[in-house]
């Protein structure tokens, strides 16, 4: 499952994303969550409201791979 949109809010346990269609999505984060920008691994703390993201959610493993778009440097 993939979610694309803008971060509305990020906490230690969840990421709230507003999709380009205006739908609110909440992604639960856990110890398996990986944040990347290009080939670089980033920290959850590098994310902030207003950044564009693509979130690949692995439902079988309950993990999320967050890929920053333009905002994470």
């Amino acid at each position: 499952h993939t979610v694309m949109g803008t971060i509305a809010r990020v906490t230690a346990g969840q990421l709230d994303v507003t999709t380009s269609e205006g739908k609110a999505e909440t992604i639960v984060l856990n110890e398996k969550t990986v944040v990347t920008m290009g080939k670089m691994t980033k920290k959850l703390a590098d994310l902030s409201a207003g950044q564009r993201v693509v979130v690949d959610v692995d439902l079988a493993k309950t993990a999320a791979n967050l890929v920053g778009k333009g905002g994470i440097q």
Side-chain angles (χ1 to χ4, degrees):
H1 177 67
T2 301
V3 177
M4 293 184 286
T6 303
I7 297 174
R9 183 174 70 123
V10 61
T11 65
Q14 76 180 42
L15 181 73
D16 296 328
V17 176
T18 304
T19 68
S20 53
E21 294 83 24
K23 181 179 176 188
E25 294 273 354
T26 298
I27 291 76
V28 176
L29 309 174
N30 61 30
E31 67 280 349
K32 296 178 184 177
T33 300
V34 177
V35 179
T36 60
M37 171 103 180
K39 294 181 182 182
M40 296 176 57
T41 301
K42 296 292 188 171
K43 298 180 187 215
L44 189 59
D46 294 325
L47 299 174
S48 62
Q51 290 177 311
R52 302 260 319 138
V53 291
V54 176
V55 183
D56 292 318
V57 181
D58 184 342
L59 299 176
K61 295 180 183 177
T62 62
N65 182 37
L66 311 176
V67 181
K69 293 290 184 183
I72 304 171
Q73 301 284 333

